[in-house]
Amino acid sequence: MREAVFLRQNQERWQQYEKRPQVGPDELAARFVALTDDLAYAQTFYPTSPTTAYLNGLAGKVHQRLYANKRQDHGRFGRFWAVELPLVVARHHRTLAFTAVLFLVFTALGALSAAYDDSFVRVILGDGYVNQTIENIRKGDPMAVYKKEGETLMFLGITANNIYVALATFVFGATLGVGTLVFMFRNALMLGAFQYFFYHYHVLKASVLTIWIHGTLEISAIVVAGAAGFVMARGLLFPGTFSRSEAFRLAARDGLKMAIGLVPIFVVAGFLEGFVTRHTEMPLAASLGIIGTSAAFIGWYFVLYPRQLARRQARASAL
């Protein structure tokens, strides 16, 4: 739309933000979301306009009030999970979608590589794992590898490793996203080769019903961690009307919230892998129930709920 129309539609609301700056934390958060959306639009279509500079300044003021004067009450922890994190995810849904598609492409590449090169799976997964799993398949228990280690030690080790991988994937966003891309590529390639390996030995169904009991949460969380890294990289590469240091600071804060928000998900995924996945004899309905519940939670918490919350906050700010 033309800039004059854009101004006519939104200028009164912006002026109201300036005339009535002291509002509750919920409305303040809603204003910030609405302003960042307006700013992103202006940066795209009117990058050198005074309107863009004005919105940049106004968004900065709201941001300062939002984070400098936020309530420190007993509900702060719950508010992070119920409001702050979903709003951050909503602001970066495009980056999250891009990361998910990229991960799927890399996974497909891993599967294709395994299909056309018999040695690829051994390079990715290691001779020890491949030989042991082939032996387990011959014995009729292809998922026996999950029964070797004690439940508690397996849970603690897997959870710690997954949290480390997620935080590293995020932190390496500071390398202009190259490090994050490498982490994503390596994990997706491994997943693709891993699943093709079981397909090749005609036990794909057994592997899916077992591995994805914990993998639904685990893989989804790795994708979100990758998005967090790309959010930080975007702040460095495309600062817009902010200074590069300020854009990086804001993007790093959003990315860190996304990464920290994954910790409980990795704890649950680690618990499932350590204590539940090993029960390969569980009924089909139980496996599908856990996988379906996990997938539904991911879709709700990272897609549907953030959109609903952002729209609700935007409507509240317009009143």
Side-chain angles (χ1 to χ4, degrees):
M1 80 179 66
R2 291 182 301 172
E3 185 176 358
V5 177
F6 180 66
L7 279 170
R8 187 166 59 251
Q9 290 181 351
N10 298 287
Q11 192 169 23
E12 184 177 350
R13 174 167 54 87
W14 302 335
Q15 291 173 347
Q16 184 186 25
Y17 292 169
E18 292 189 289
K19 292 176 182 177
R20 195 165 62 92
Q22 300 303 323
V23 293
D26 290 340
E27 184 174 345
L28 197 61
R31 288 183 177 187
F32 183 66
V33 171
L35 280 171
T36 51
D37 287 343
D38 293 338
L39 178 59
Y41 186 89
Q43 287 173 338
T44 302
F45 295 101
Y46 330 114
T48 60
S49 169
T51 301
T52 304
Y54 166 78
L55 285 172
N56 185 32
L58 184 57
K61 292 176 183 177
V62 174
H63 179 270
Q64 288 177 355
R65 289 196 295 271
L66 183 63
Y67 289 100
N69 302 313
K70 56 188 175 181
R71 296 180 301 176
Q72 298 295 329
D73 56 18
H74 295 295
R76 178 67 178 84
F77 184 79
R79 180 177 173 77
F80 173 78
W81 303 105
V83 179
E84 290 186 38
L85 179 57
L87 285 176
V88 168
V89 172
R91 285 201 295 275
H92 301 293
H93 259 169
R94 289 185 179 181
T95 302
L96 182 57
F98 163 78
T99 307
V101 171
L102 191 66
F103 191 87
L104 287 174
V105 170
F106 289 160
T107 301
L109 182 61
L112 285 172
S113 299
Y116 285 98
D117 185 351
D118 294 337
S119 65
F120 184 76
V121 172
R122 292 183 177 276
V123 171
I124 296 296
L125 302 179
D127 286 329
Y129 177 85
V130 171
N131 292 335
Q132 180 184 6
T133 303
I134 291 174
E135 183 63 26
N136 291 335
I137 292 171
R138 288 171 179 165
K139 293 178 180 178
D141 191 3
M143 300 292 108
V145 68
Y146 290 100
K147 304 175 183 179
K148 288 186 60 180
E149 195 173 346
E151 290 97 331
T152 302
L153 287 177
M154 189 174 182
F155 160 61
L156 294 175
I158 288 171
T159 301
N161 179 71
N162 287 341
I163 291 173
Y164 162 76
V165 170
L167 291 177
T169 302
F170 157 66
V171 168
F172 276 93
T175 62
L176 303 180
V178 175
T180 297
L181 187 67
V182 170
F183 270 88
M184 293 286 293
F185 180 76
R186 186 168 61 186
N187 281 280
L189 209 67
M190 185 180 298
L191 175 63
F194 183 77
Q195 289 288 218
Y196 182 83
F197 171 65
F198 288 102
Y199 168 79
H200 179 73
Y201 283 93
H202 310 290
V203 288
L204 178 63
K205 178 182 176 181
S207 74
V208 169
L209 291 175
T210 302
I211 295 163
W212 288 94
I213 287 175
H214 62 270
T216 304
L217 293 176
E218 184 179 298
I219 298 302
S220 299
I222 288 175
V223 171
V224 176
F230 288 135
V231 165
M232 182 161 62
R234 184 179 178 183
L236 277 171
L237 292 169
F238 309 107
T241 57
F242 291 99
S243 67
R244 196 171 299 276
S245 61
E246 178 68 7
F248 174 70
R249 186 179 68 83
L250 294 174
R253 175 178 288 175
D254 279 1
L256 181 61
K257 286 184 178 182
M258 293 172 69
I260 291 176
L262 298 174
V263 172
I265 295 176
F266 279 125
V267 171
V268 175
F271 175 84
L272 290 173
E273 188 167 0
F275 291 92
V276 181
T277 300
R278 64 180 58 241
H279 297 291
T280 56
E281 72 286 352
M282 74 167 59
L284 174 64
S287 295
L288 291 177
I290 295 172
I291 295 169
T293 300
S294 299
F297 168 75
I298 292 296
W300 173 76
Y301 190 75
F302 288 100
V303 181
L304 297 179
Y305 178 61
R307 288 180 178 175
Q308 293 170 353
L309 184 61
R311 284 198 296 265
R312 190 160 61 241
Q313 295 281 35
R315 286 196 298 266
S317 68
L319 297 177

